[in-house]
Amino acid sequence: MAVSGRQTGRPTLEEVAARAGVGRGTVSRVINGSPRVSEQAKAAVERAVAELGYVPNRAARALAGSRTDAVALVIPETEARLFAEPYFLDIIRGVSSELADADKQLLLTLIRSEQERQRFEQYLAAQRVDGVLLVSVHGSDPLPDQVRALGLPAVLNGRRTEDERVAFVDSDNTGAGRTAVAHLAARGRRAIATITGPLDMYVARCRLDGYHEGLSDAGLAPDELLVANGDFTEDGGRRAMRELLDRRPDLDAVFAASDVMAAGARGVLREAGRRVPEDVALVGVDDSAVARHMDPPLTSVRQPIEEMGRTMARLLLQEIATPSEPDEQPRRMLPTELVVRASS
């Protein structure tokens, strides 16, 4: 409802930007005292702030020269999954080490239900953290956009789509799939199967795309019977491996989109009397402790997980200090590398 031509309720950062004729990031920079703003833009923002009466809690803290010095790391998973998968622990280790050097407190948050999501959004709205890091975000998850709408910097581990609008740090997931299949084909494997991650996650779709590219590069025809969907868990790897053996008992190689799923697949192959690598070669992704301790040790495409965590934290600290324009969100892509072991 409008009163005297103005919206009721607290003005938003976007309304200030529209009134001043500048981008949202420019408004943030002015509020936070950044020197990276022209005098003309600064004057326009200050005028719009005064006209709209815009003084949010976060701006008041920044203008007073103080912040919460806390950063939230959000993982929308259960405790069981968090502690079962080395990936999450390596991310936390990287984030924690970088934030410790910057004297920032880390708030680890697991979101397992819609109620917890709503409670966390209320926590953010109270401006109790300076920024948010998000891990394992699915394609339909609105939380990154909601964080940004609250005026808080956010950095994702991975992307939701190719056209991700929020800052992110990712690795070359398509290249990971392509490299794995090229390695298997070079070893003479011709019925190469894959166990995907959950396909509502961009990372899983990229690894599947890389798998198909690898087949094409090797002159191998795609076969949907050789593709089984997993969920990045060990149980998911077991279920998918049973499905693949039922469909194509003649398969001679498997590219699992994570080491944890490869471990599940390895157990099923052993139960079925299939030797690794003599009968079925096996390759995973992550190069985690799981890969090194499997029997036989697992060939895996290494992504620099701990470095991804450190890079995420560095980007977020930069965004807290000097916010970017919405269309200039920082993006980092880190390389992957095949580590060959006895499973292939």
Side-chain angles (χ1 to χ4, degrees), residues 226-302:
L226 288 170
V227 178
N229 294 340
D231 58 5
F232 286 145
T233 69
E234 188 171 353
D235 284 343
R238 289 193 191 97
R239 288 192 299 270
M241 192 68 248
R242 291 190 189 101
E243 186 178 330
L244 288 169
L245 287 175
D246 286 343
R247 292 185 197 163
R248 285 291 304 266
D250 61 326
L251 64 84
D252 60 9
V254 177
F255 163 55
S258 77
D259 290 347
V260 173
M261 291 196 300
R266 174 68 185 91
V268 171
L269 289 169
R270 177 172 289 164
E271 292 166 4
R274 305 295 181 92
R275 298 169 300 165
V276 174
E278 292 85 353
D279 302 322
V280 179
L282 187 60
V283 176
V285 179
D286 286 339
D287 189 35
S288 63
V290 170
R292 297 188 292 275
H293 296 144
M294 276 177 60
D295 178 24
L298 179 69
T299 294
S300 183
V301 182
R302 174 187 295 158

Side-chain angles (χ1 to χ4, degrees), residues 117-261:
R117 176 184 299 277
Q118 292 173 4
R119 189 181 307 127
F120 181 66
E121 290 170 10
Q122 292 168 359
Y123 184 88
L124 293 181
Q127 305 292 333
R128 293 177 179 172
V129 297
D130 293 329
V132 180
L133 300 165
L134 299 108
V135 179
S136 191
V137 177
H138 293 248
S140 60
D141 195 330
L143 185 57
D145 297 315
Q146 291 165 346
V147 171
R148 296 288 296 164
L150 288 169
L152 287 167
V155 178
L156 305 182
N157 172 229
R159 292 171 279 176
R160 293 170 294 174
T161 68
E162 184 178 1
D163 302 318
E164 180 59 68
R165 299 183 301 275
V166 178
F168 66 81
V169 177
D170 206 351
S171 62
D172 182 10
N173 291 297
T174 303
R178 188 169 54 243
T179 299
V181 174
H183 168 73
L184 291 167
R187 295 293 175 96
R189 309 294 171 154
R190 289 297 175 264
I192 303 172
T194 187
I195 299 173
T196 77
L199 294 180
D200 65 335
M201 297 183 73
Y202 186 66
V203 56
R205 297 198 301 275
C206 285
R207 289 176 188 174
L208 180 59
D209 288 344
Y211 163 80
H212 283 124
E213 289 179 13
L215 291 179
S216 177
D217 292 345
L220 300 174
D223 182 351
E224 286 307 306
L225 295 179
L226 288 170
V227 178
N229 294 340
D231 58 5
F232 286 145
T233 69
E234 188 171 353
D235 284 343
R238 289 193 191 97
R239 288 192 299 270
M241 192 68 248
R242 291 190 189 101
E243 186 178 330
L244 288 169
L245 287 175
D246 286 343
R247 292 185 197 163
R248 285 291 304 266
D250 61 326
L251 64 84
D252 60 9
V254 177
F255 163 55
S258 77
D259 290 347
V260 173
M261 291 196 300

